Amino acid sequence: MSLLSDLVNLDLSGSTEKIIAEYIWIGGCGVDIRSKARTLPGPVSDPSELPKWNYDGSSTKQAPGEDSEIIIHPQAIYKDPFRRGNNILVMCDAYNSQGDPIPTNKRHNAAKIFSHSDVIAEEPWFGIEQEYTLLQKDVKWPIGWPIGGYPGPQGPYYCGTGADKAFGRDIVDAHYKACLYAGINISGTNGEVMPGQWEFQVGPSVGISAGDQVWVARYILERITEIAGVVLSFDPKPVHGDWNGAGAHTNYSTKSMRSDGGFDVIRKAIGKLEKRHKEHMAAYGEGNERRLIGNHETADINNFNWGVADRGASVRVGRETEKANKGYFEDRRPSSNMDPYVVTSMIAETTIIWKP
C-alpha cells in the first residue's frame, strides 16, 4: 500500500510539462456529480483555453443510446487538492449535439440571469451554508450512531467537541483545507444539531461563481468521503423523527441592501419572495417537504414568514442588519440537495428583475 500511496502522490512537475485536468459535471439525477480526467500539454489558467469534451449521456440518464454524446463546456478552474502541482479541477456544464443545454444544465439559465444589466449593477453576494450528513458505508446510518439504534437526544452535538459528540471531524477538516487549497472561498465549518451532520459555508461569492464554488466544494467532499470509506448524504431529512433536517441556508445581499438605508430594500425584496413563495418552494430541492415542517428550526413549507433573529422563519434578518439599517438576509428555505445555480439565480431574478 505504501508504494500505491507513493504513486498516487507522485510529483510530476520535474518529469513533464503536461498536467491532468479533472472535468466535473452534474449527472442525470441533478444532484449526482460525475467526473473524468484528461491530459493537457501544459498549465492552463483560463477556462477559455480548455477544450470541450464529451461523455456517454446514456450512462448518466441524460441521453438515449442512439444519440448519447453530451458535450461539456469548461466554465471554471480550481487547483486540484488531490493531484496538486499544476493539475486542475474544471467545472463544466453540459449540452446536446445540437448545442442546446440539457435539462440538468441549470448553469446556462443562471448565467443569463447574472448577465442581466440590472443584476450586474446590483452585484449580488451570496453566502451558502451547506449542511450534509455522513453515513456508515454498509448500513447507510449516520456515523457515530449505534447500528439500528439512536444516540442521546439533540443538544450536545451542535458545535460540540469530544469523541461522544463530534463524529467525522477528520473528514471535515480535510475538506476545509482542500477547498482553501483549491481556491474556493470557503468561509467556515461547524458541527450541526444532529450528530453525524456537519455544515460548511461558501462565500461571499458574486453571481454565478457562488454556484460553481458550491458544486466543486461538494465534489471535493465526495472525493474525501470516498477515500475515508464514508457515504455522503445531502438528503434534507436523513433520519425521521425528532432530529433536525439538512438545509442550505442562502445569505444574500445586493449593493443597494449593503448601502445606507438598505433595510428598506431588504424589506421590499422579502415582500417579493413572499409573492413567489410557491415557485421558489418548487425549485428549492427535492424532499424539502419532509424538512420544512414548522419545527426543528424551520418554517412550514406552505407558509411564508420572516423575522429578525428568527430561526423558525422562512427568511431571517440578523440583529446587526436591523441595527445598521443595512446588510443582508438569510433565505432558510433551500434544502441541502438544492441546485445552487437555481437557488441563487432565482433569488436574484425575483428580487432584482421581477416586477410584481
Side-chain angles (χ1 to χ4, degrees), residues 117-129:
S117 58
D118 292 347
V119 176
I120 292 172
E122 281 292 350
E123 195 179 340
W125 290 3
F126 296 93
I128 298 175
E129 305 171 26

Side-chain angles (χ1 to χ4, degrees), residues 271-289:
K272 285 185 171 184
L273 290 174
E274 181 174 15
K275 288 182 172 67
R276 298 188 75 189
H277 177 63
K278 289 185 178 180
E279 293 171 65
H280 280 253
M281 286 295 83
Y284 271 21
E286 186 176 349
N288 212 6
E289 72 283 352

Side-chain angles (χ1 to χ4, degrees), residues 205-336:
S205 305
V206 180
I208 196 71
S209 68
D212 289 336
Q213 291 190 40
V214 169
W215 273 116
V216 176
R218 286 176 174 178
Y219 170 80
I220 291 171
L221 185 55
E222 286 273 18
R223 288 283 304 277
I224 291 171
T225 54
E226 173 189 322
I227 294 166
V230 171
V231 174
L232 173 63
S233 173
F234 291 114
D235 190 296
K237 189 71 172 180
V239 181
H240 297 294
D242 194 19
W243 305 97
N244 275 36
H249 303 154
T250 302
N251 299 277
Y252 171 69
S253 71
T254 63
K255 186 179 291 185
S256 298
M257 294 175 191
R258 298 187 294 268
S259 302
D260 290 343
F263 198 31
D264 286 338
V265 181
I266 289 173
R267 278 195 289 256
K268 290 175 183 176
I270 293 172
K272 285 185 171 184
L273 290 174
E274 181 174 15
K275 288 182 172 67
R276 298 188 75 189
H277 177 63
K278 289 185 178 180
E279 293 171 65
H280 280 253
M281 286 295 83
Y284 271 21
E286 186 176 349
N288 212 6
E289 72 283 352
R290 293 183 282 116
R291 167 181 163 261
L292 297 180
I293 56 176
N295 57 20
H296 298 124
E297 302 182 52
T298 70
D300 187 281
I301 193 169
N302 297 307
N303 302 312
F304 182 95
N305 66 314
W306 74 279
V308 176
D310 185 357
R311 281 181 163 76
S314 308
V315 171
R316 180 183 69 88
V317 175
R319 290 282 182 205
E320 286 299 314
T321 293
E322 181 188 43
K323 182 178 178 181
N325 200 34
K326 61 181 178 180
Y328 70 97
F329 65 81
E330 174 193 48
D331 190 340
R332 297 178 60 80
R333 298 171 296 171
S335 68
S336 51

